[in-house]
């Protein structure tokens, strides 16, 4: 029998982190863990990523829990092959051209997310776009192919710390907070991927391992820079962050004046993030539930969420969504 989760706590037990060798057995174990919704750090040519099944909302919520990330930044989805990427996002001619020229490699493309992608909304923080990358690393691609599903992966470090470029770095930050790390030795590039947004104007969202000049040479045109478009470019501050169209009222004890109530814990509500008060479950449900309530066209009241652990990231996102705009 599953014990009831304690109010406001996540019930994820702390795993003992396995250090997996870069051989057939290590890859098989890493892929099996990913398919079971567990967290596996793996090498890419840029930095080590902290991977989870991008189609499993609970697995993705665990990423934020393990990193103690106080915000739900959208994550990069890693794929083994181009046809897998095409099932997730819409590629226009410019996207095709950049993928042709630079994939596999240190380039992440932000593209329109397909409605039938199967990607958990937490991966893109509820945005209608998705960041995709096909890494240039044999072990990473072998793992992605064996996992058989898209893998969401931020850099495998605790929030606010530097990105890891060896399995030892990963363990120094995340030992016993993740299920395994696949040891592929040091990363060749050692810098995160360059992120280009194509929704639809090509713009440089983050400089990285692939020089912007190489991308501009391929496009035959300069990339828009955020300083030129006036938009903020720091991660988590993107102007495009998802907010419902209806007004949002926080720390509500009950719905008033035609509101719908988004509950947490044992409260009477229209939709509940987690009736048992489990923050991991609440994080996994957050964007999906907000989208559903938004479709009612009614103002949304949200029950109080404990402000610790994943609750901090949930509250951060709710405050942004409630802010005047
Ligand atoms: O090299 C890399 O890119 C590594 C390896 C593991 O692939 N990953 C990485 O992920 O650096 P992360 O989570 O540290 O950075 C992801 C960045 C965030 O800053 C986020 O703002 C941006 O990608 N991003 C993701 N999805 C986005 C979207 N839909 N729109 C705009 N930006 C997005
Ligand atoms: Mg990072």
């Amino acid at each position: 029998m599953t014990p009831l989760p304690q109010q406001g706590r996540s019930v994820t037990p702390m795993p003992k982190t396995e250090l997996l060798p870069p051989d057939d057995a290590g890859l098989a174990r890493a892929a099996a863990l990913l398919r079971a919704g567990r967290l596996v750090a793996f090498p890419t040519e840029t930095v080590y990523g902290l991977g989870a099944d991008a189609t499993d909302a609970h697995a993705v919520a665990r990423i934020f829990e393990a990193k103690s990330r106080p915000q739900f930044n959208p994550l990069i989805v890693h794929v083994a092959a181009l046809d897998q990427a095409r099932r997730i996002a819409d590629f226009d001619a410019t996207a095709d051209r950049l993928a042709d020229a630079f994939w596999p490699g240190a380039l992440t493309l932000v593209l329109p997310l397909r409605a039938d992608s199967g990607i958990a909304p937490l991966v893109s923080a509820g945005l209608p776009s998705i960041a995709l990358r096909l890494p240039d690393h044999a072990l990473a691609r072998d793992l992605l192919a064996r996992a058989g599903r898209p893998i969401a992966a931020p850099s495998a470090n605790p929030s606010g710390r530097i990105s890891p470029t060896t399995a030892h770095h990963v363990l120094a930050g995340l030992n016993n907070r993740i299920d395994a790390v696949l040891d592929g030795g040091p990363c060749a590039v050692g810098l995160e991927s360059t992120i280009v947004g194509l929704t639809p104007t090509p713009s440089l969202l983050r400089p990285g391992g692939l020089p912007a000049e190489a991308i501009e040479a391929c496009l035959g045109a300069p990339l828009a820079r955020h300083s030129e478009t006036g938009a903020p470019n720091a991660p988590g501050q993107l102007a495009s962050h998802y907010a419902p169209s209806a007004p949002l009222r926080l720390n509500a004890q009950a719905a008033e004046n035609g509101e719908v109530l988004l509950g947490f814990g044992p409260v009477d509500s229209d939709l509940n993030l987690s009736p048992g008060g489990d923050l991991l479950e609440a994080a996994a449900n957050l964007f999906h539930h907000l989208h559903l309530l938004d479709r009612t066209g009614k103002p949304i009241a949200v029950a109080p969420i404990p402000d610790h652990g994943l609750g901090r990231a949930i509250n951060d996102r709710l405050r942004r969504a409630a802010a005047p705009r």
Side-chain angles (χ1 to χ4, degrees):
M1 210 178 78
T2 323
L4 268 182
Q6 225 186 310
Q7 177 80 17
R9 299 252 160 242
S10 159
V11 288
T12 318
M14 283 294 163
K16 191 165 163 6
T17 304
E18 299 173 34
L19 181 62
L20 301 173
D23 57 16
D24 191 61
L27 278 162
R29 175 72 181 149
L33 284 167
L34 286 172
R35 282 198 305 272
R38 311 308 309 184
L39 298 184
V40 178
F42 64 97
T44 78
E45 79 278 32
T46 59
V47 300
Y48 274 69
L50 178 54
D53 178 352
T55 66
D56 177 341
H58 277 83
V60 176
R62 285 199 182 99
I63 288 179
F64 294 94
E65 186 178 54
K67 286 181 65 102
S68 308
R69 219 181 215 191
Q71 298 176 337
F72 293 127
N73 292 335
L75 305 174
I76 297 171
V77 169
H78 297 69
V79 293
L82 189 56
D83 62 326
Q84 193 184 12
R86 290 186 196 284
R87 289 196 293 272
I88 297 171
D90 290 323
F91 281 65
D92 65 5
T94 311
D96 280 339
R97 184 169 192 164
L98 290 177
D100 259 8
F102 299 111
W103 278 3
L107 174 68
T108 293
L109 294 174
V110 176
L111 302 170
L113 179 62
R114 289 177 56 136
D116 60 352
S117 69
I119 299 292
L122 187 56
V123 172
S124 61
L127 293 172
S129 58
I130 189 79
L132 288 175
R133 188 160 98 78
L134 178 55
D136 185 16
H137 193 287
L139 201 64
R141 289 179 66 190
D142 197 343
L143 174 64
L144 292 166
R146 288 182 193 224
R149 54 199 73 182
I151 298 297
S155 51
N157 50 282
S159 181
R161 305 260 290 275
I162 55 170
S163 294
T165 55
T166 67
H168 177 78
H169 293 165
V170 175
L171 287 174
L174 294 175
N175 195 23
N176 296 340
R177 298 189 61 82
I178 63 176
D179 296 280
V181 51
L182 182 63
D183 188 356
C187 302
V189 175
L191 261 186
E192 284 96 343
S193 61
T194 302
I195 304 181
V196 170
L198 289 177
T199 54
T201 317
S203 50
L204 183 67
L205 299 180
R206 178 178 76 183
L210 177 68
E213 290 78 2
I215 300 166
E216 292 175 327
C218 170
L219 292 174
L223 288 165
R225 306 295 215 270
H226 277 292
S227 53
E228 290 160 20
T229 59
N233 64 356
Q237 294 190 342
L238 298 162
S240 52
H241 263 331
Y242 169 73
S245 47
L248 212 80
R249 187 168 64 87
L250 306 184
N251 296 313
Q253 299 301 335
E256 293 166 10
N257 307 325
E259 288 172 334
V260 283
L261 182 66
L262 180 59
F264 177 83
V267 295
D268 222 355
S269 54
D270 295 273
L271 267 183
N272 202 311
L273 289 171
S274 171
D278 176 5
L279 289 168
L280 188 73
E281 184 182 20
N285 286 330
L286 179 66
F287 292 104
H288 186 243
H289 283 16
L290 280 176
H291 275 290
L292 286 179
L293 290 179
D294 203 17
R295 266 184 235 156
T296 67
K298 298 178 178 165
I300 304 169
V302 188
I305 315 285
D307 204 38
H308 60 77
L310 277 177
R312 287 171 61 210
I314 295 172
N315 282 322
D316 168 77
R317 179 42 42 106
L318 288 171
R319 274 193 299 271
R320 285 168 198 267
R325 55 199 118 97

